Structures are given as C-alpha cells and as structure tokens.
Amino acid sequence: MREKFFGDPTGFDAAPNKDLFNQVWKNVIAWEKRTGKSLDQSLTREDYIELLSSLQIRRAWTMTNRKSIVMYYVRYLIANGELPIEQERLLASVTLNDLEIKEDGFVYYFKNLAMLQDAINDTVSASDSYDSTLHDIPISMLYLAWYGLTEEEIINFPKSAVLDDGIMFNGKKIEMPFHVSQVLNRLKDADGYYQQARGVIFHRYVYSDYLIRTERNAKIDLVKFRTMLYRFNNITGRAYSLRYDVAHQSGIFYRAYLLESEGGAFDLTDPGFASRVFCEDLNNSVKRSTRIKDYQIFKRVIQE
C-alpha cells in the first residue's frame, strides 16, 4: 500500500507540505521499527499517543503540523478501504496534553537558569578551545535571551548597561547571579581572545560601544548573530538546543511559573495579563491559546 501511496497523484504527490511529510515520515518509520507496529494497521488510541510522543512535539503548532501529516496518511488508507473510519476518530482525539514528555537527551526547554548554565559549561568543555573566553559572545547572547531581550535588543545592547551584578534594561535594573554577570563583564572589558592555530594568535575586537562585537565588526547583524549561536550549539551536535528561541522562551516561561507559584491572581485568559507575562502581544485569541498550551507543556517538563 505504501508503494501505491508514494506513486499516487492523490497520495504523496498531493501532500500539502512534502518536506515536512518526509521529515515526519522518517520518525514514523523509526517508531514502527522500534515497536513492531505499523500505521498501515489499526492502532489503539494509546498507540497513536506513543507514536506522536516520539515525534519530539513540545509546542502547540508542532503538534498541529506533525499530527496533520500522520492524519493525512491515515485518511488516505481509509479512503482506499485499508483502515476503518474509526482510526481517524481515534487519532483526532489525541491532544497535546496526552503526549508523554520525555527528554531523551534532547532539550526542549531549559527548566531553570542552572540547566542552561550546565549546557553552556558542557559545550565549552567539549570545544577544547585554547581560550575559553572565545565563547563569551554566544554565551552572553544566550544569557541575555534568557532574561527576555529580543535578538535586536541583544545586538544593540551597550557595554555601559552591564553592571557588576546585572544589567540596566529599559530603565530598570535586572539583577543576575555571579556566573552570569561575570561572563558579561568579562566580555565588556575584553580586548579580544586567543586562538591556537599554527601558533597562538590574538584576535583583537574592533573598538565598539556595543557588548556584542567581533574582531571584524563593531556591531553584528542578525545573520551573524544566528550564525555564531549555530556554531556554538553545533559543538555538541546540537544536543543542548543552545538556540535563541529556546533560551528566550524558557526564561519567559520560568518567570511565569515563579509568578504563578506565588499564589496570587494569575489569569492567562486575560489578554492584557497574558501579554505582560509572556512578553508579547497576545490579544489574538488563537495566538494566546497556543502560547498557553506551550506554557502548560513547559510546566509538565519542569515538574518531572
């Protein structure tokens, strides 16, 4: 049946997103090999939960996209008389809250700042660099992301806003633990870094009023910003998800969790309150609902 599907104009050729289908399909095949089960056979609701749990789903939009791929194939089998229509109902009934949350060595959220620090330290150790301060730029980016700064705000962050025990941001002081402020101050005061090549070479930073600068640029752009984080994350084969979006969203959710734990008023259905807590415009009900679902997943991760 699969050969027919992949050669059928109404099958794979009609799939709305072939790249996403291929990506999800690799995970489906891996699940089938591991469990001995198959999408071509009738599955239980628990089987579908197990399958979707294996697809590394931790956000509402990811659930929608990846579940739609599985559903597309199941509906094709139903239309061709290979599965009973009950299978569509069973799959449709699985929600994000049903999925098993397992890290399996992959980081979807940093539960707290200590977890982010451990990932950073492991990455620096794995780099085997002659001068560990070589990585102070991407490390500073990640810490600033955790504390809620946007990519543009990090790029434009001035040295003068770095304090001994934190930073000044939007007219307010954000206090930080020693290990964070130490890195920011070290980068603030650094003239450059050493690198081992044929010999030891010193790379001098261009003079700049900005904290994030390089030996060639007094100020970097978004492409350079993302490239530097990608290279740092890639040192461990992207095992720790040291990405801007993961660090940024984790920090926001962590602070929301602390606020909720205080026991005061905490109503995320209020658009104004949700926007303030999650640091984005959530007046759109669909967007707000999606972010609340993401936050619920974060809480499940942090509580396990």
Side-chain angles (χ1 to χ4, degrees):
M1 190 62 195
R2 293 193 175 180
E3 289 184 6
K4 178 182 177 182
F5 171 79
F6 283 99
D8 190 341
T10 65
F12 175 74
D13 288 342
N17 189 331
K18 293 184 176 62
D19 289 338
L20 179 61
F21 189 99
N22 286 328
Q23 176 187 343
V24 173
W25 195 249
K26 291 178 182 178
N27 292 326
V28 169
I29 295 299
W31 175 80
E32 290 181 332
K33 289 181 178 179
R34 187 174 67 254
T35 63
K37 300 172 184 178
S38 172
L39 266 182
D40 289 25
Q41 304 168 351
S42 292
L43 299 178
T44 65
R45 186 174 187 274
E46 289 69 29
D47 291 333
Y48 283 124
I49 291 174
E50 183 183 1
L51 169 59
L52 293 175
S53 295
S54 74
L55 301 184
Q56 297 183 346
I57 294 171
R58 294 298 178 272
R59 292 182 173 87
W61 66 267
T62 310
M63 174 67 168
T64 300
N65 289 343
R66 297 185 182 181
K67 181 180 174 182
S68 71
I69 295 299
V70 178
M71 181 66 81
Y72 182 83
Y73 183 69
V74 168
R75 284 173 174 164
Y76 177 84
L77 294 179
I78 293 172
N80 284 270
E82 297 293 325
L83 286 179
I85 195 169
E86 175 193 35
Q87 290 294 298
E88 179 178 353
R89 178 184 61 79
L90 289 176
L91 176 56
S93 71
V94 178
T95 69
L96 189 62
N97 290 332
D98 293 317
L99 303 192
E100 300 173 11
I101 304 299
K102 297 180 180 178
E103 292 298 328
D104 295 328
F106 187 83
V107 176
Y108 300 95
Y109 292 111
F110 295 106
K111 299 178 182 181
N112 49 42
L113 188 57
M115 183 179 179
L116 174 58
Q117 181 189 11
D118 287 344
I120 288 172
N121 290 343
D122 284 352
T123 302
V124 172
S125 297
S127 72
D128 195 27
S129 300
Y130 178 83
D131 182 357
S132 62
T133 66
L134 161 70
H135 305 297
D136 280 356
I137 292 177
I139 293 172
S140 296
M141 292 173 177
L142 290 166
Y143 282 142
L144 292 174
W146 171 272
Y147 281 99
L149 277 69
T150 66
E151 291 175 308
E152 289 286 356
E153 286 167 343
I154 295 172
I155 288 172
N156 291 288
F157 194 75
K159 290 179 183 177
S160 59
V162 178
L163 309 176
D164 290 341
D165 57 351
I167 62 172
M168 288 297 298
F169 180 62
N170 287 338
K172 297 180 180 179
K173 181 180 179 180
I174 300 178
E175 293 187 356
M176 299 176 172
F178 175 74
H179 74 270
V180 175
S181 57
Q182 180 186 43
V183 173
L184 296 179
N185 276 280
R186 188 168 63 205
L187 178 58
K188 170 187 174 182
D189 298 332
D191 293 323
Y193 60 90
Y194 289 95
Q195 191 171 36
Q196 178 77 55
R198 293 181 178 177
V200 177
I201 301 173
F202 183 72
H203 296 274
R204 185 176 297 277
Y205 292 136
V206 174
Y207 175 79
S208 175
D209 292 327
Y210 297 104
L211 179 66
I212 308 301
R213 74 279 189 201
T214 71
E215 64 271 28
R216 294 186 178 89
N217 308 105
K219 179 182 177 182
I220 65 171
D221 58 18
L222 276 175
V223 173
K224 183 68 174 178
F225 176 94
R226 292 165 182 169
T227 299
M228 295 177 79
L229 281 180
Y230 176 84
R231 289 174 178 169
F232 186 62
N233 189 29
N234 204 41
I235 290 172
T236 58
R238 300 183 295 280
Y240 291 113
S241 298
L242 289 169
R243 307 197 314 260
Y244 168 82
D245 60 323
V246 176
H248 184 256
Q249 194 65 71
S250 296
I252 289 173
F253 281 166
Y254 178 73
R255 289 184 290 277
Y257 178 74
L258 292 181
L259 180 63
E260 184 178 13
S261 299
E262 291 177 358
F266 193 86
D267 182 10
L268 294 177
T269 62
D270 177 353
F273 180 80
S275 297
R276 289 192 300 274
V277 169
F278 292 143
C279 305
E280 59 181 311
D281 184 356
L282 293 177
N283 284 294
N284 179 280
S285 60
V286 174
K287 186 177 180 180
R288 185 170 65 258
S289 176
T290 297
R291 192 63 71 238
I292 292 172
K293 290 177 181 177
D294 293 342
Y295 175 59
Q296 296 300 325
I297 294 298
F298 173 82
K299 290 203 296 182
R300 289 175 61 192
V301 171
I302 203 172
Q303 291 167 356
E304 291 189 356

